[in-house]
Structures are given as C-alpha cells and as structure tokens.
Amino acid sequence: MKIGEAAKKAGISPGNIRFYEKKGLLKPKREESSSYRSYTEEDVERLKRILVFRKADLSVESIALLLEGKEEAKTLLEKQEEVLEGKMKELEGSLLLCRKLKQEEDPLKTDPEKYLRFIREEEQEGRKFSPAEEMLGQISDFTAECYGGSGWFTAVFGRWADLVKLILGAGLWLFFLYMAAARFWEEPVSVSHIVFWSGLFLVYNLSFLKYWSNKRKTAE
C-alpha cells in the first residue's frame, strides 16, 4: 500500500511516517518497478505501536531502543512513569495558583505580593510551580549579554547600534520560526515546543518595544 493509505490506517499523517522513517523506526520496502515505498500490514501495526508509545510521551530515541530490543519495555516504562510524575508535580502548584486566581473578582487587580507570598509558602512546603519563568529569564539574560552586555555593539555601530540589534534579532527570529515550523511539520507538537518558541517570540517583541520606546524618548 502507498503512504497515504498506510497513514489513514494508522491514524497519523504521512509527514509523521516520513519522520519515523528518517529516524529509523520504520523501514518499508520499495517496489521493484518504481522507487515508491510499499507499506505492509506489519508496517501499519508497527506505526500504531509507535503511536501508542509516543502518546505515553516516550521520545523517538527511546522508542527506537525499545523496537530494536536494546531496552526492556517495562524498564523503559518505569523510567517514563517517574518522569511523568515529576512533570505532574511541577504543574501541581501552577494548577492550584490558577484555581485561586480564578476565584478573584478581577485577577488582574489582585495584590501580586499576596500571591507571591502564597507561592513562597507553598514552595517551602515542597510544592512546585511551572519553571517557564526561569527559562524566559535565562533567555533574556543571554540576549542582553550577547547584544549589549559588553557595549561592543555601541562602539562599532554608534547611534545605529539599537537598529542593528533589532535587524539581527528579526533575522534570528525568522530563522527560529523556520526551524519551529519545520519541526512541527515533521513530528507532533508538544507543550515544551509551544513554551520554548512562545518564549523566544516574547523576548524578541520585548526587545522591539524597548527599542521604539527609547527612540520616542530620544525624539522628545
């Protein structure tokens, strides 16, 4: 059968099948009369099995080890269970915070210090919150260090330094956007993908707003 029929039977996209082939999880035979791949019922069954393990959030690399007999299924699943339980604990505090904020008449007008105290108290009790804030902070620090920490941009480009940084940032963002689109096309989108690329988008836009704010102040 052709890739379209195999994709329909397995319940995934042809793009996913090509991705799994590229990673070595699937090796369909080629028709003798042409270069087209020919998929068998065994291939479809293998695709379904891959999909099941992917839904358990196992990495493609882990599934490859499993299918090649280099890792015991139960051992791998026990390790994955620990990973998933860790992720659940990380979101436990965020879920509780979300529910508490939702109870406010206007969450935007609540005293942030009140909730910061709540977060600190909960963290002391061992409850964990989403680490996204720390990730974005590290990206911002890295961006600041690369763009202006040493002042070499200003020394080289003078009054055009901010504009050059903006153009370079735009080019970098377009590159990241291309890489993100290519990855999303090849494999299923995960929460970590969304958080990471959204973080980069936020950092770039903050840089953009800062540039135009400084430009307006200079003009005034």
Side-chain angles (χ1 to χ4, degrees), residues 3-59:
I3 189 171
E5 185 180 353
K8 186 175 181 180
K9 283 191 173 185
I12 59 177
S13 70
N16 280 131
I17 293 180
R18 295 189 187 96
F19 174 76
Y20 295 144
E21 289 178 17
K22 188 187 299 183
K23 292 295 184 179
L25 299 184
L26 190 69
K27 297 177 182 178
K29 296 180 180 178
R30 292 184 180 272
E31 296 178 354
E32 294 182 1
S33 58
S34 67
S35 60
Y36 290 111
R37 298 175 181 84
S38 179
Y39 299 86
T40 64
E41 291 296 337
E42 288 76 15
D43 290 327
V44 172
E45 188 70 16
R46 189 178 179 89
L47 283 168
K48 289 179 178 179
R49 201 175 305 281
I50 292 169
L51 182 59
V52 168
F53 285 111
R54 284 293 289 149
K55 288 295 183 180
D57 203 32
L58 280 170
S59 68

Side-chain angles (χ1 to χ4, degrees), residues 77-210:
L77 289 170
E78 285 174 1
K79 293 177 182 177
Q80 183 65 6
E81 187 178 5
E82 292 178 3
V83 171
L84 293 174
E85 286 177 352
K87 289 182 179 180
M88 289 176 64
K89 287 181 180 178
E90 286 182 355
L91 294 176
E92 186 181 11
S94 299
L95 178 60
L96 179 60
L97 179 60
C98 183
R99 288 172 175 169
K100 289 181 72 67
L101 285 168
K102 191 175 67 173
Q103 293 174 358
E104 297 283 357
E105 185 175 346
D106 187 347
L108 284 174
K109 293 182 179 179
T110 57
D111 178 14
E113 189 58 38
K114 165 187 171 183
Y115 282 98
L116 289 174
R117 285 196 302 270
F118 165 74
I119 292 170
R120 286 193 293 269
E121 291 170 359
E122 290 296 316
E123 286 178 336
Q124 289 175 358
E125 295 294 326
R127 198 182 299 275
K128 294 184 179 181
F129 291 79
S130 172
E133 182 180 348
E134 287 83 353
M135 184 194 73
L136 293 178
Q138 291 167 4
I139 293 175
S140 298
D141 293 342
F142 175 76
T143 303
E145 180 65 26
C146 289
Y147 277 174
S150 62
W152 71 273
F153 255 100
T154 303
V156 174
F157 297 103
R159 65 190 183 91
W160 299 104
D162 284 340
L163 181 58
V164 172
K165 286 189 286 186
L166 182 64
I167 293 172
L168 290 176
L172 185 62
W173 169 244
L174 288 174
F175 172 75
F176 282 143
L177 183 62
Y178 167 77
M179 294 299 293
R183 181 155 189 174
F184 289 171
W185 180 261
E186 289 185 336
E187 65 177 315
V189 180
S190 67
V191 175
S192 60
H193 288 164
I194 296 172
V195 172
F196 179 73
W197 297 113
S198 298
L200 288 177
F201 180 80
L202 177 62
V203 169
Y204 172 70
N205 279 279
L206 287 175
S207 299
F208 179 87
L209 291 174
K210 182 180 178 181

